[in-house]
Amino acid sequence: MAFGRSSRRKRPVEPVTLKILVAGGFGVGKTTLVGAVSEIRPLRTEERLSEAGRPVDDLAGVEGKNTTTVAMDFGRITLREDLVLYLFGTPGQDRFWFLWDELAQGALGAVVLADTRRLEDCFAAVDYFERRGIPFTVAVNLFEGAEQFPDEAVRTALDLDPEVPVLLCDARDRASVRDVLVAVVEHAMARADRLREPATT
């Protein structure tokens, strides 16, 4: 029996796995983003907001929020047959920031999710990734009723470097979130290539 090329078994591709963080302020949509795009049931560590947390949890603009992430959200998405992203959503409140260093270990890059109604809430995440040299993309979550601003206005308000991508997204929409994640990977890879380039004298 003759065997043609088509009859040969294709060797399975071993995918490259990359770690991406999803950060931002309290109630900005991090858990929603991970859940919208994950191809597995997301791991969530949410707890109900309590009376004890009212003095420290600013609910301005997110009055309907009744749960909060206390450790992380986790999800997975296959971008290509040979590329899988593991998503780690960070907790948004100040009192959980001690977890960030653990979550950031080995991360290729990050998404900083922003809400134009409370843009100052993502300053801490921007500062964190800048200080640690972790490439990131800012994704402005399009909440209903929130005023939209041009990308450059957001860039100026956050004092971002010119190469940091700024995108609009809907954290509930799988295709929109996927575009953001692709932008993070491309930005991180381009930055790595620039760092590998020999310095010119």
Side-chain angles (χ1 to χ4, degrees):
M1 180 184 288
F3 290 94
R5 283 190 179 186
S6 60
S7 65
R8 292 180 186 167
R9 282 193 175 180
K10 202 173 181 182
R11 184 174 294 179
V13 175
E14 188 68 33
V16 173
T17 58
L18 303 174
K19 181 179 183 180
I20 302 292
L21 298 184
V22 180
F26 175 61
V28 78
K30 300 180 295 295
T31 298
T32 300
L33 184 148
V34 173
V37 79
S38 181
E39 61 201 16
I40 61 172
R41 184 175 180 177
L43 168 66
R44 292 175 173 160
T45 57
E46 287 198 309
E47 295 292 339
R48 293 192 68 79
L49 292 171
S50 65
E51 285 300 319
R54 286 194 180 278
V56 290
D57 293 332
D58 182 8
L59 295 177
V62 286
E63 291 81 1
K65 186 172 175 60
N66 54 26
T67 61
T68 184
T69 299
V70 296
M72 67 171 183
D73 298 311
F74 173 77
R76 183 188 73 201
I77 177 175
T78 302
L79 287 185
R80 299 190 315 244
E81 182 184 10
D82 60 344
L83 181 59
V84 174
L85 301 186
Y86 289 112
L87 308 177
F88 290 79
T90 65
Q93 295 107 309
D94 300 9
R95 65 184 183 276
F96 296 124
W97 282 352
F98 67 92
L99 295 168
W100 283 37
D101 287 341
E102 289 292 327
L103 292 174
Q105 288 188 22
L108 172 80
V111 177
V112 174
L113 202 56
D115 177 353
T116 57
R117 299 169 300 180
R118 299 176 296 126
L119 203 55
E120 67 280 2
D121 287 0
C122 66
F123 287 163
V126 168
D127 183 58
Y128 182 90
F129 297 126
E130 284 181 342
R131 283 189 285 116
R132 284 159 181 78
I134 298 174
F136 65 94
T137 294
V138 172
V140 179
N141 196 5
L142 298 176
F143 286 93
E144 289 180 21
E147 189 173 353
Q148 292 188 29
F149 297 93
D151 294 355
E152 283 310 309
V154 174
R155 182 183 303 282
T156 300
L158 295 177
D159 193 24
L160 299 174
D161 289 336
E163 69 270 11
V164 175
V166 177
L167 299 89
L168 300 179
C169 81
D170 182 342
R172 302 165 299 181
D173 182 74
R174 179 180 175 84
S176 181
V177 173
R178 189 180 185 280
D179 289 345
V180 169
L181 296 174
V182 168
V184 173
V185 173
E186 289 177 345
H187 173 52
M189 295 299 192
R191 187 171 180 271
D193 287 344
R194 286 196 301 274
L195 291 175
R196 281 194 294 265
E197 290 175 359
T200 55
T201 55

